[in-house]
């Protein structure tokens, strides 16, 4: 039997509980604004709103949606035992909403010239999940 132990002494990965309803609604084509209104704690819905706004050239709106998803995700991570640092694996699908919102916040911050916020969010994303940083960039 293998025993999995973090030999580097860091915190264990944080995995958010699954919340399939918003993910399923978005996958079925529901409007992200409707999903965010029905599930306002869903980082995934806010991240999708941020992505859609950014693609449409509405950068400030994207920033606001991304910041909402980011803060909703921080709340969920803390409830899941996260202590402010440590891995948040992209491979665990329920974590992807938070990671996408964090990426969207970095992207929008860079677009509006908020370099310090861009760097902070980019570093946070890479430290949380190198896979997310590589996949979402």
């Amino acid at each position: 039997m293998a025993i999995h132990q973090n030999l580097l002494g860091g915190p264990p990965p944080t995995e958010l509980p699954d919340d399939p309803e918003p993910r399923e609604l978005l996958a079925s084509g529901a409007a992200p604004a409707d999903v965010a209104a029905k599930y306002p704690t869903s980082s995934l819905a806010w991240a999708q709103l941020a992505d859609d706004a950014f693609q449409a050239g509405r950068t400030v709106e994207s920033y606001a949606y991304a910041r909402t998803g980011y803060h909703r995700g921080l709340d969920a991570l803390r409830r899941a035992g996260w202590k402010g640092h440590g891995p948040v694996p992209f491979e665990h699908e329920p974590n992807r909403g938070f990671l996408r919102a964090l990426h969207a916040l970095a992207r929008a911050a860079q677009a509006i010239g908020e370099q310090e916020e861009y760097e902070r969010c980019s570093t946070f994303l890479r430290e949380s999940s190198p896979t997310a940083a590589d996949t979402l960039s």
Side-chain angles (χ1 to χ4, degrees), residues 110-133:
Q110 183 180 40
I112 64 172
E114 194 175 0
Q115 189 64 24
E116 189 174 309
E117 179 79 344
Y118 163 72
E119 290 172 8
R120 183 188 68 80
C121 291
S122 295
T123 299
F124 186 11
L125 180 63
R126 178 142 312 272
E127 289 175 352
S128 297
S129 173
T131 301

Side-chain angles (χ1 to χ4, degrees), residues 56-97:
R58 300 186 318 268
T59 307
V60 172
E61 188 179 324
S62 176
Y63 183 93
Y65 287 138
R67 183 158 290 287
T68 301
Y70 165 75
H71 282 288
R72 291 299 190 149
L74 287 177
D75 292 343
L77 285 168
R78 289 182 187 113
R79 282 191 303 275
W82 185 73
K83 303 293 185 205
H85 61 89
V88 181
F90 185 75
E91 295 79 5
H92 181 67
E93 190 168 5
N95 290 350
R96 291 182 184 176

Side-chain angles (χ1 to χ4, degrees), residues 44-60:
L44 181 61
W46 294 106
Q48 187 62 55
L49 284 166
D51 287 347
D52 291 351
F54 193 83
Q55 290 173 357
R58 300 186 318 268
T59 307
V60 172

